[in-house]
PDB file of all heavy atoms in Angstrom:
ATOM      1  N   ALA A   1      58.957 -31.278 -13.977  1.00  0.00           N
ATOM      2  CA  ALA A   1      59.329 -31.125 -15.366  1.00  0.00           C
ATOM      3  C   ALA A   1      60.034 -29.887 -15.549  1.00  0.00           C
ATOM      4  O   ALA A   1      59.889 -28.846 -14.720  1.00  0.00           O
ATOM      5  CB  ALA A   1      58.030 -31.045 -16.250  1.00  0.00           C
ATOM      6  N   SER A   2      61.112 -29.820 -16.353  1.00  0.00           N
ATOM      7  CA  SER A   2      61.801 -28.624 -16.770  1.00  0.00           C
ATOM      8  C   SER A   2      62.030 -28.609 -18.207  1.00  0.00           C
ATOM      9  O   SER A   2      61.906 -29.579 -18.959  1.00  0.00           O
ATOM     10  CB  SER A   2      63.113 -28.556 -16.080  1.00  0.00           C
ATOM     11  OG  SER A   2      63.962 -29.698 -16.386  1.00  0.00           O
ATOM     12  N   GLY A   3      62.343 -27.322 -18.829  1.00  0.00           N
ATOM     13  CA  GLY A   3      62.514 -27.303 -20.137  1.00  0.00           C
ATOM     14  C   GLY A   3      61.237 -27.207 -21.093  1.00  0.00           C
ATOM     15  O   GLY A   3      61.392 -27.354 -22.335  1.00  0.00           O
ATOM     16  N   THR A   4      60.021 -27.006 -20.399  1.00  0.00           N
ATOM     17  CA  THR A   4      58.851 -26.958 -21.243  1.00  0.00           C
ATOM     18  C   THR A   4      57.900 -25.969 -20.582  1.00  0.00           C
ATOM     19  O   THR A   4      58.052 -25.570 -19.417  1.00  0.00           O
ATOM     20  CB  THR A   4      58.198 -28.386 -21.233  1.00  0.00           C
ATOM     21  OG1 THR A   4      56.974 -28.245 -21.804  1.00  0.00           O
ATOM     22  CG2 THR A   4      57.944 -28.865 -19.819  1.00  0.00           C
ATOM     23  N   THR A   5      57.000 -25.453 -21.344  1.00  0.00           N
ATOM     24  CA  THR A   5      55.902 -24.607 -20.917  1.00  0.00           C
ATOM     25  C   THR A   5      54.906 -25.521 -20.129  1.00  0.00           C
ATOM     26  O   THR A   5      53.906 -25.938 -20.717  1.00  0.00           O
ATOM     27  CB  THR A   5      55.231 -23.741 -22.047  1.00  0.00           C
ATOM     28  OG1 THR A   5      56.283 -23.117 -22.609  1.00  0.00           O
ATOM     29  CG2 THR A   5      54.244 -22.805 -21.371  1.00  0.00           C
ATOM     30  N   PHE A   6      55.138 -25.731 -18.917  1.00  0.00           N
ATOM     31  CA  PHE A   6      54.451 -26.911 -18.199  1.00  0.00           C
ATOM     32  C   PHE A   6      52.960 -26.805 -18.329  1.00  0.00           C
ATOM     33  O   PHE A   6      52.348 -27.875 -18.613  1.00  0.00           O
ATOM     34  CB  PHE A   6      54.885 -26.791 -16.744  1.00  0.00           C
ATOM     35  CG  PHE A   6      54.388 -27.938 -15.844  1.00  0.00           C
ATOM     36  CD1 PHE A   6      54.942 -29.113 -15.824  1.00  0.00           C
ATOM     37  CD2 PHE A   6      53.066 -27.753 -15.176  1.00  0.00           C
ATOM     38  CE1 PHE A   6      54.328 -30.092 -15.005  1.00  0.00           C
ATOM     39  CE2 PHE A   6      52.527 -28.799 -14.584  1.00  0.00           C
ATOM     40  CZ  PHE A   6      53.298 -29.924 -14.355  1.00  0.00           C
ATOM     41  N   SER A   7      52.461 -25.608 -18.204  1.00  0.00           N
ATOM     42  CA  SER A   7      50.864 -25.468 -17.961  1.00  0.00           C
ATOM     43  C   SER A   7      50.205 -25.971 -19.263  1.00  0.00           C
ATOM     44  O   SER A   7      49.008 -26.283 -19.234  1.00  0.00           O
ATOM     45  CB  SER A   7      50.631 -24.044 -17.703  1.00  0.00           C
ATOM     46  OG  SER A   7      50.990 -23.197 -18.797  1.00  0.00           O
ATOM     47  N   ILE A   8      50.908 -25.987 -20.430  1.00  0.00           N
ATOM     48  CA  ILE A   8      50.171 -26.383 -21.668  1.00  0.00           C
ATOM     49  C   ILE A   8      50.256 -27.855 -21.968  1.00  0.00           C
ATOM     50  O   ILE A   8      49.880 -28.265 -23.057  1.00  0.00           O
ATOM     51  CB  ILE A   8      50.642 -25.554 -22.845  1.00  0.00           C
ATOM     52  CG1 ILE A   8      52.043 -25.808 -23.296  1.00  0.00           C
ATOM     53  CG2 ILE A   8      50.419 -23.992 -22.598  1.00  0.00           C
ATOM     54  CD1 ILE A   8      52.502 -25.190 -24.617  1.00  0.00           C
ATOM     55  N   ASN A   9      51.032 -28.597 -21.168  1.00  0.00           N
ATOM     56  CA  ASN A   9      51.310 -30.003 -21.460  1.00  0.00           C
ATOM     57  C   ASN A   9      50.424 -30.867 -20.668  1.00  0.00           C
ATOM     58  O   ASN A   9      50.084 -30.686 -19.458  1.00  0.00           O
ATOM     59  CB  ASN A   9      52.759 -30.354 -21.159  1.00  0.00           C
ATOM     60  CG  ASN A   9      53.735 -29.520 -21.930  1.00  0.00           C
ATOM     61  OD1 ASN A   9      54.646 -28.908 -21.381  1.00  0.00           O
ATOM     62  ND2 ASN A   9      53.509 -29.385 -23.200  1.00  0.00           N
ATOM     63  N   GLY A  10      49.995 -32.010 -21.293  1.00  0.00           N
ATOM     64  CA  GLY A  10      49.369 -33.101 -20.709  1.00  0.00           C
ATOM     65  C   GLY A  10      50.509 -34.071 -20.209  1.00  0.00           C
ATOM     66  O   GLY A  10      51.585 -34.162 -20.757  1.00  0.00           O
ATOM     67  N   PHE A  11      50.203 -34.858 -19.153  1.00  0.00           N
ATOM     68  CA  PHE A  11      51.225 -35.820 -18.645  1.00  0.00           C
ATOM     69  C   PHE A  11      50.406 -37.109 -18.325  1.00  0.00           C
ATOM     70  O   PHE A  11      49.306 -37.197 -18.106  1.00  0.00           O
ATOM     71  CB  PHE A  11      51.775 -35.188 -17.348  1.00  0.00           C
ATOM     72  CG  PHE A  11      52.746 -34.032 -17.530  1.00  0.00           C
ATOM     73  CD1 PHE A  11      52.150 -32.748 -17.534  1.00  0.00           C
ATOM     74  CD2 PHE A  11      54.052 -34.221 -17.745  1.00  0.00           C
ATOM     75  CE1 PHE A  11      52.994 -31.680 -17.785  1.00  0.00           C
ATOM     76  CE2 PHE A  11      54.947 -33.099 -17.897  1.00  0.00           C
ATOM     77  CZ  PHE A  11      54.377 -31.857 -17.918  1.00  0.00           C
ATOM     78  N   ASN A  12      51.343 -38.122 -18.306  1.00  0.00           N
ATOM     79  CA  ASN A  12      50.758 -39.475 -18.014  1.00  0.00           C
ATOM     80  C   ASN A  12      51.720 -40.123 -17.005  1.00  0.00           C
ATOM     81  O   ASN A  12      52.955 -39.828 -16.973  1.00  0.00           O
ATOM     82  CB  ASN A  12      50.867 -40.330 -19.318  1.00  0.00           C
ATOM     83  CG  ASN A  12      50.151 -39.665 -20.567  1.00  0.00           C
ATOM     84  OD1 ASN A  12      49.052 -39.354 -20.517  1.00  0.00           O
ATOM     85  ND2 ASN A  12      50.896 -39.297 -21.530  1.00  0.00           N
ATOM     86  N   TRP A  13      51.180 -41.044 -16.210  1.00  0.00           N
ATOM     87  CA  TRP A  13      51.954 -42.017 -15.413  1.00  0.00           C
ATOM     88  C   TRP A  13      51.773 -43.356 -15.974  1.00  0.00           C
ATOM     89  O   TRP A  13      50.614 -43.801 -16.319  1.00  0.00           O
ATOM     90  CB  TRP A  13      51.411 -41.990 -13.979  1.00  0.00           C
ATOM     91  CG  TRP A  13      51.793 -40.851 -13.120  1.00  0.00           C
ATOM     92  CD1 TRP A  13      51.232 -39.660 -12.911  1.00  0.00           C
ATOM     93  CD2 TRP A  13      53.139 -40.631 -12.475  1.00  0.00           C
ATOM     94  NE1 TRP A  13      51.897 -38.888 -12.006  1.00  0.00           N
ATOM     95  CE2 TRP A  13      53.072 -39.427 -11.869  1.00  0.00           C
ATOM     96  CE3 TRP A  13      54.244 -41.444 -12.362  1.00  0.00           C
ATOM     97  CZ2 TRP A  13      54.214 -38.957 -11.135  1.00  0.00           C
ATOM     98  CZ3 TRP A  13      55.332 -41.112 -11.702  1.00  0.00           C
ATOM     99  CH2 TRP A  13      55.255 -39.789 -11.035  1.00  0.00           C
ATOM    100  N   TYR A  14      52.862 -44.050 -16.129  1.00  0.00           N
ATOM    101  CA  TYR A  14      52.999 -45.514 -16.584  1.00  0.00           C
ATOM    102  C   TYR A  14      53.646 -46.244 -15.428  1.00  0.00           C
ATOM    103  O   TYR A  14      54.227 -45.712 -14.484  1.00  0.00           O
ATOM    104  CB  TYR A  14      53.709 -45.584 -17.792  1.00  0.00           C
ATOM    105  CG  TYR A  14      53.002 -45.280 -19.055  1.00  0.00           C
ATOM    106  CD1 TYR A  14      52.708 -43.909 -19.464  1.00  0.00           C
ATOM    107  CD2 TYR A  14      52.546 -46.179 -19.959  1.00  0.00           C
ATOM    108  CE1 TYR A  14      52.041 -43.653 -20.610  1.00  0.00           C
ATOM    109  CE2 TYR A  14      51.752 -45.859 -21.118  1.00  0.00           C
ATOM    110  CZ  TYR A  14      51.661 -44.768 -21.379  1.00  0.00           C
ATOM    111  OH  TYR A  14      51.011 -44.309 -22.610  1.00  0.00           O
ATOM    112  N   ARG A  15      53.426 -47.569 -15.592  1.00  0.00           N
ATOM    113  CA  ARG A  15      54.262 -48.343 -14.638  1.00  0.00           C
ATOM    114  C   ARG A  15      54.603 -49.606 -15.357  1.00  0.00           C
ATOM    115  O   ARG A  15      53.935 -50.112 -16.311  1.00  0.00           O
ATOM    116  CB  ARG A  15      53.405 -48.752 -13.346  1.00  0.00           C
ATOM    117  CG  ARG A  15      52.157 -49.667 -13.554  1.00  0.00           C
ATOM    118  CD  ARG A  15      51.428 -49.879 -12.265  1.00  0.00           C
ATOM    119  NE  ARG A  15      50.430 -50.788 -12.340  1.00  0.00           N
ATOM    120  CZ  ARG A  15      49.522 -51.064 -11.440  1.00  0.00           C
ATOM    121  NH1 ARG A  15      49.562 -50.509 -10.235  1.00  0.00           N
ATOM    122  NH2 ARG A  15      48.600 -51.896 -11.632  1.00  0.00           N
ATOM    123  N   GLN A  16      55.673 -50.246 -14.898  1.00  0.00           N
ATOM    124  CA  GLN A  16      56.256 -51.542 -15.425  1.00  0.00           C
ATOM    125  C   GLN A  16      56.620 -52.394 -14.280  1.00  0.00           C
ATOM    126  O   GLN A  16      57.597 -52.061 -13.577  1.00  0.00           O
ATOM    127  CB  GLN A  16      57.369 -51.258 -16.396  1.00  0.00           C
ATOM    128  CG  GLN A  16      57.673 -52.580 -17.160  1.00  0.00           C
ATOM    129  CD  GLN A  16      58.603 -52.165 -18.359  1.00  0.00           C
ATOM    130  OE1 GLN A  16      59.263 -51.124 -18.476  1.00  0.00           O
ATOM    131  NE2 GLN A  16      58.661 -53.123 -19.288  1.00  0.00           N
ATOM    132  N   ALA A  17      55.981 -53.580 -14.189  1.00  0.00           N
ATOM    133  CA  ALA A  17      56.285 -54.515 -13.214  1.00  0.00           C
ATOM    134  C   ALA A  17      57.255 -55.492 -13.886  1.00  0.00           C
ATOM    135  O   ALA A  17      57.355 -55.639 -15.084  1.00  0.00           O
ATOM    136  CB  ALA A  17      54.950 -55.345 -12.682  1.00  0.00           C
ATOM    137  N   PRO A  18      58.088 -56.239 -12.951  1.00  0.00           N
ATOM    138  CA  PRO A  18      59.019 -57.193 -13.499  1.00  0.00           C
ATOM    139  C   PRO A  18      58.382 -58.214 -14.436  1.00  0.00           C
ATOM    140  O   PRO A  18      57.326 -58.812 -14.119  1.00  0.00           O
ATOM    141  CB  PRO A  18      59.581 -57.815 -12.252  1.00  0.00           C
ATOM    142  CG  PRO A  18      59.398 -56.795 -11.140  1.00  0.00           C
ATOM    143  CD  PRO A  18      58.078 -56.146 -11.518  1.00  0.00           C
ATOM    144  N   GLY A  19      59.000 -58.335 -15.676  1.00  0.00           N
ATOM    145  CA  GLY A  19      58.579 -59.332 -16.585  1.00  0.00           C
ATOM    146  C   GLY A  19      57.220 -58.994 -17.314  1.00  0.00           C
ATOM    147  O   GLY A  19      56.602 -59.808 -18.001  1.00  0.00           O
ATOM    148  N   LYS A  20      56.800 -57.754 -17.128  1.00  0.00           N
ATOM    149  CA  LYS A  20      55.423 -57.307 -17.691  1.00  0.00           C
ATOM    150  C   LYS A  20      55.601 -56.106 -18.644  1.00  0.00           C
ATOM    151  O   LYS A  20      56.660 -55.403 -18.451  1.00  0.00           O
ATOM    152  CB  LYS A  20      54.369 -56.910 -16.630  1.00  0.00           C
ATOM    153  CG  LYS A  20      54.024 -58.190 -15.929  1.00  0.00           C
ATOM    154  CD  LYS A  20      52.721 -57.820 -14.908  1.00  0.00           C
ATOM    155  CE  LYS A  20      52.308 -59.090 -14.185  1.00  0.00           C
ATOM    156  NZ  LYS A  20      51.126 -58.860 -13.379  1.00  0.00           N
ATOM    157  N   LYS A  21      54.693 -55.796 -19.460  1.00  0.00           N
ATOM    158  CA  LYS A  21      54.738 -54.710 -20.428  1.00  0.00           C
ATOM    159  C   LYS A  21      54.505 -53.405 -19.539  1.00  0.00           C
ATOM    160  O   LYS A  21      53.768 -53.389 -18.466  1.00  0.00           O
ATOM    161  CB  LYS A  21      53.858 -54.772 -21.507  1.00  0.00           C
ATOM    162  CG  LYS A  21      54.076 -55.949 -22.487  1.00  0.00           C
ATOM    163  CD  LYS A  21      52.999 -55.844 -23.631  1.00  0.00           C
ATOM    164  CE  LYS A  21      53.379 -57.080 -24.589  1.00  0.00           C
ATOM    165  NZ  LYS A  21      52.322 -57.132 -25.656  1.00  0.00           N
ATOM    166  N   ARG A  22      54.943 -52.266 -20.055  1.00  0.00           N
ATOM    167  CA  ARG A  22      54.627 -51.050 -19.442  1.00  0.00           C
ATOM    168  C   ARG A  22      53.105 -50.850 -19.705  1.00  0.00           C
ATOM    169  O   ARG A  22      52.641 -50.810 -20.753  1.00  0.00           O
ATOM    170  CB  ARG A  22      55.553 -49.996 -20.057  1.00  0.00           C
ATOM    171  CG  ARG A  22      55.574 -48.559 -19.309  1.00  0.00           C
ATOM    172  CD  ARG A  22      56.664 -47.681 -19.730  1.00  0.00           C
ATOM    173  NE  ARG A  22      57.943 -48.235 -19.440  1.00  0.00           N
ATOM    174  CZ  ARG A  22      59.044 -47.483 -19.587  1.00  0.00           C
ATOM    175  NH1 ARG A  22      58.986 -46.181 -20.061  1.00  0.00           N
ATOM    176  NH2 ARG A  22      60.237 -47.970 -19.377  1.00  0.00           N
ATOM    177  N   GLU A  23      52.440 -50.220 -18.602  1.00  0.00           N
ATOM    178  CA  GLU A  23      51.040 -49.992 -18.785  1.00  0.00           C
ATOM    179  C   GLU A  23      50.679 -48.601 -18.216  1.00  0.00           C
ATOM    180  O   GLU A  23      51.271 -48.128 -17.403  1.00  0.00           O
ATOM    181  CB  GLU A  23      50.223 -51.018 -17.988  1.00  0.00           C
ATOM    182  CG  GLU A  23      50.390 -51.023 -16.516  1.00  0.00           C
ATOM    183  CD  GLU A  23      49.529 -51.861 -15.765  1.00  0.00           C
ATOM    184  OE1 GLU A  23      48.502 -52.540 -16.342  1.00  0.00           O
ATOM    185  OE2 GLU A  23      49.716 -52.128 -14.522  1.00  0.00           O
ATOM    186  N   LEU A  24      49.739 -48.075 -18.915  1.00  0.00           N
ATOM    187  CA  LEU A  24      49.208 -46.763 -18.547  1.00  0.00           C
ATOM    188  C   LEU A  24      48.526 -46.827 -17.248  1.00  0.00           C
ATOM    189  O   LEU A  24      47.613 -47.534 -17.166  1.00  0.00           O
ATOM    190  CB  LEU A  24      48.295 -46.164 -19.608  1.00  0.00           C
ATOM    191  CG  LEU A  24      47.788 -44.772 -19.510  1.00  0.00           C
ATOM    192  CD1 LEU A  24      48.890 -43.734 -19.390  1.00  0.00           C
ATOM    193  CD2 LEU A  24      46.724 -44.467 -20.575  1.00  0.00           C
ATOM    194  N   VAL A  25      48.801 -45.837 -16.374  1.00  0.00           N
ATOM    195  CA  VAL A  25      48.130 -45.807 -15.018  1.00  0.00           C
ATOM    196  C   VAL A  25      47.052 -44.715 -14.989  1.00  0.00           C
ATOM    197  O   VAL A  25      45.971 -44.904 -14.681  1.00  0.00           O
ATOM    198  CB  VAL A  25      49.141 -45.571 -13.949  1.00  0.00           C
ATOM    199  CG1 VAL A  25      48.522 -45.270 -12.684  1.00  0.00           C
ATOM    200  CG2 VAL A  25      50.038 -46.676 -13.887  1.00  0.00           C
ATOM    201  N   ALA A  26      47.613 -43.472 -15.386  1.00  0.00           N
ATOM    202  CA  ALA A  26      46.555 -42.340 -15.427  1.00  0.00           C
ATOM    203  C   ALA A  26      47.197 -41.189 -16.316  1.00  0.00           C
ATOM    204  O   ALA A  26      48.357 -41.097 -16.560  1.00  0.00           O
ATOM    205  CB  ALA A  26      46.550 -41.770 -13.928  1.00  0.00           C
ATOM    206  N   THR A  27      46.248 -40.363 -16.712  1.00  0.00           N
ATOM    207  CA  THR A  27      46.560 -39.226 -17.570  1.00  0.00           C
ATOM    208  C   THR A  27      46.012 -37.920 -16.919  1.00  0.00           C
ATOM    209  O   THR A  27      44.900 -38.004 -16.384  1.00  0.00           O
ATOM    210  CB  THR A  27      46.150 -39.363 -18.975  1.00  0.00           C
ATOM    211  OG1 THR A  27      44.704 -39.377 -18.937  1.00  0.00           O
ATOM    212  CG2 THR A  27      46.561 -40.744 -19.557  1.00  0.00           C
ATOM    213  N   ILE A  28      46.546 -36.758 -17.330  1.00  0.00           N
ATOM    214  CA  ILE A  28      46.052 -35.509 -16.938  1.00  0.00           C
ATOM    215  C   ILE A  28      46.341 -34.583 -18.067  1.00  0.00           C
ATOM    216  O   ILE A  28      47.411 -34.432 -18.510  1.00  0.00           O
ATOM    217  CB  ILE A  28      46.517 -34.986 -15.495  1.00  0.00           C
ATOM    218  CG1 ILE A  28      45.694 -33.799 -15.048  1.00  0.00           C
ATOM    219  CG2 ILE A  28      48.018 -34.736 -15.546  1.00  0.00           C
ATOM    220  CD1 ILE A  28      45.990 -33.415 -13.696  1.00  0.00           C
ATOM    221  N   SER A  29      45.203 -33.910 -18.458  1.00  0.00           N
ATOM    222  CA  SER A  29      45.361 -32.896 -19.499  1.00  0.00           C
ATOM    223  C   SER A  29      45.902 -31.547 -19.026  1.00  0.00           C
ATOM    224  O   SER A  29      45.955 -31.279 -17.842  1.00  0.00           O
ATOM    225  CB  SER A  29      44.083 -32.712 -20.320  1.00  0.00           C
ATOM    226  OG  SER A  29      43.188 -31.952 -19.518  1.00  0.00           O
ATOM    227  N   SER A  30      46.200 -30.691 -19.938  1.00  0.00           N
ATOM    228  CA  SER A  30      46.536 -29.305 -19.534  1.00  0.00           C
ATOM    229  C   SER A  30      45.474 -28.655 -18.779  1.00  0.00           C
ATOM    230  O   SER A  30      45.827 -27.823 -17.861  1.00  0.00           O
ATOM    231  CB  SER A  30      46.917 -28.494 -20.839  1.00  0.00           C
ATOM    232  OG  SER A  30      45.876 -28.356 -21.744  1.00  0.00           O
ATOM    233  N   GLY A  31      44.279 -28.921 -19.038  1.00  0.00           N
ATOM    234  CA  GLY A  31      43.144 -28.404 -18.351  1.00  0.00           C
ATOM    235  C   GLY A  31      42.748 -29.046 -17.059  1.00  0.00           C
ATOM    236  O   GLY A  31      41.637 -28.590 -16.377  1.00  0.00           O
ATOM    237  N   GLY A  32      43.488 -30.190 -16.826  1.00  0.00           N
ATOM    238  CA  GLY A  32      43.135 -30.871 -15.549  1.00  0.00           C
ATOM    239  C   GLY A  32      42.277 -32.069 -15.692  1.00  0.00           C
ATOM    240  O   GLY A  32      41.828 -32.725 -14.549  1.00  0.00           O
ATOM    241  N   SER A  33      41.830 -32.316 -16.912  1.00  0.00           N
ATOM    242  CA  SER A  33      41.000 -33.544 -17.010  1.00  0.00           C
ATOM    243  C   SER A  33      41.838 -34.848 -16.848  1.00  0.00           C
ATOM    244  O   SER A  33      42.999 -34.858 -17.301  1.00  0.00           O
ATOM    245  CB  SER A  33      40.327 -33.561 -18.372  1.00  0.00           C
ATOM    246  OG  SER A  33      39.426 -32.437 -18.604  1.00  0.00           O
ATOM    247  N   THR A  34      41.110 -35.716 -16.137  1.00  0.00           N
ATOM    248  CA  THR A  34      41.926 -36.973 -15.738  1.00  0.00           C
ATOM    249  C   THR A  34      41.268 -38.164 -16.312  1.00  0.00           C
ATOM    250  O   THR A  34      40.007 -38.338 -16.554  1.00  0.00           O
ATOM    251  CB  THR A  34      41.942 -37.113 -14.215  1.00  0.00           C
ATOM    252  OG1 THR A  34      40.706 -37.095 -13.700  1.00  0.00           O
ATOM    253  CG2 THR A  34      42.804 -35.929 -13.704  1.00  0.00           C
ATOM    254  N   ASN A  35      42.098 -39.260 -16.509  1.00  0.00           N
ATOM    255  CA  ASN A  35      41.616 -40.612 -16.905  1.00  0.00           C
ATOM    256  C   ASN A  35      42.397 -41.629 -16.201  1.00  0.00           C
ATOM    257  O   ASN A  35      43.648 -41.298 -15.987  1.00  0.00           O
ATOM    258  CB  ASN A  35      41.632 -40.807 -18.332  1.00  0.00           C
ATOM    259  CG  ASN A  35      40.585 -40.057 -19.056  1.00  0.00           C
ATOM    260  OD1 ASN A  35      39.234 -40.579 -18.997  1.00  0.00           O
ATOM    261  ND2 ASN A  35      40.779 -39.049 -19.801  1.00  0.00           N
ATOM    262  N   TYR A  36      41.808 -42.770 -15.979  1.00  0.00           N
ATOM    263  CA  TYR A  36      42.522 -43.804 -15.253  1.00  0.00           C
ATOM    264  C   TYR A  36      42.339 -45.090 -15.764  1.00  0.00           C
ATOM    265  O   TYR A  36      41.348 -45.412 -16.491  1.00  0.00           O
ATOM    266  CB  TYR A  36      42.022 -43.813 -13.695  1.00  0.00           C
ATOM    267  CG  TYR A  36      42.319 -42.629 -13.052  1.00  0.00           C
ATOM    268  CD1 TYR A  36      41.309 -41.624 -12.914  1.00  0.00           C
ATOM    269  CD2 TYR A  36      43.433 -42.431 -12.198  1.00  0.00           C
ATOM    270  CE1 TYR A  36      41.438 -40.507 -12.308  1.00  0.00           C
ATOM    271  CE2 TYR A  36      43.631 -41.145 -11.539  1.00  0.00           C
ATOM    272  CZ  TYR A  36      42.541 -40.289 -11.590  1.00  0.00           C
ATOM    273  OH  TYR A  36      42.758 -39.137 -10.870  1.00  0.00           O
ATOM    274  N   ALA A  37      43.454 -45.998 -15.682  1.00  0.00           N
ATOM    275  CA  ALA A  37      43.219 -47.417 -15.937  1.00  0.00           C
ATOM    276  C   ALA A  37      41.992 -47.983 -15.091  1.00  0.00           C
ATOM    277  O   ALA A  37      42.004 -47.627 -13.906  1.00  0.00           O
ATOM    278  CB  ALA A  37      44.475 -48.160 -15.606  1.00  0.00           C
ATOM    279  N   ASP A  38      41.103 -48.606 -15.737  1.00  0.00           N
ATOM    280  CA  ASP A  38      39.957 -49.080 -15.080  1.00  0.00           C
ATOM    281  C   ASP A  38      40.140 -49.844 -13.716  1.00  0.00           C
ATOM    282  O   ASP A  38      39.520 -49.686 -12.758  1.00  0.00           O
ATOM    283  CB  ASP A  38      39.135 -50.050 -15.977  1.00  0.00           C
ATOM    284  CG  ASP A  38      38.432 -49.370 -17.065  1.00  0.00           C
ATOM    285  OD1 ASP A  38      38.357 -47.986 -16.977  1.00  0.00           O
ATOM    286  OD2 ASP A  38      38.019 -49.992 -18.116  1.00  0.00           O
ATOM    287  N   SER A  39      41.225 -50.572 -13.715  1.00  0.00           N
ATOM    288  CA  SER A  39      41.594 -51.338 -12.493  1.00  0.00           C
ATOM    289  C   SER A  39      42.078 -50.662 -11.338  1.00  0.00           C
ATOM    290  O   SER A  39      42.097 -51.079 -10.199  1.00  0.00           O
ATOM    291  CB  SER A  39      42.629 -52.556 -12.849  1.00  0.00           C
ATOM    292  OG  SER A  39      43.767 -51.828 -13.263  1.00  0.00           O
ATOM    293  N   LEU A  40      42.350 -49.360 -11.664  1.00  0.00           N
ATOM    294  CA  LEU A  40      42.979 -48.463 -10.627  1.00  0.00           C
ATOM    295  C   LEU A  40      42.092 -47.312 -10.160  1.00  0.00           C
ATOM    296  O   LEU A  40      42.343 -46.638  -9.153  1.00  0.00           O
ATOM    297  CB  LEU A  40      44.357 -47.898 -11.064  1.00  0.00           C
ATOM    298  CG  LEU A  40      45.331 -48.880 -11.485  1.00  0.00           C
ATOM    299  CD1 LEU A  40      46.544 -48.113 -12.093  1.00  0.00           C
ATOM    300  CD2 LEU A  40      45.794 -49.729 -10.247  1.00  0.00           C
ATOM    301  N   LYS A  41      40.877 -47.292 -10.834  1.00  0.00           N
ATOM    302  CA  LYS A  41      40.022 -46.167 -10.407  1.00  0.00           C
ATOM    303  C   LYS A  41      39.565 -46.335  -8.934  1.00  0.00           C
ATOM    304  O   LYS A  41      39.245 -47.441  -8.477  1.00  0.00           O
ATOM    305  CB  LYS A  41      38.741 -46.258 -11.241  1.00  0.00           C
ATOM    306  CG  LYS A  41      38.982 -45.692 -12.708  1.00  0.00           C
ATOM    307  CD  LYS A  41      37.673 -45.779 -13.506  1.00  0.00           C
ATOM    308  CE  LYS A  41      37.955 -45.287 -14.977  1.00  0.00           C
ATOM    309  NZ  LYS A  41      36.780 -45.463 -15.802  1.00  0.00           N
ATOM    310  N   GLY A  42      39.484 -45.308  -8.200  1.00  0.00           N
ATOM    311  CA  GLY A  42      39.238 -45.283  -6.830  1.00  0.00           C
ATOM    312  C   GLY A  42      40.363 -45.284  -5.826  1.00  0.00           C
ATOM    313  O   GLY A  42      40.097 -45.070  -4.703  1.00  0.00           O
TER     314      GLY A  42
END
């Protein structure tokens, strides 16, 4: 990332397969807390 105070931002990863809707994969907060799509945990 550029153009932002990176450390205070949360970020997300999404993915989009052909012919499918974009789906949330994982999130990370500014403090490092994480969450995952249930199907991808582990």
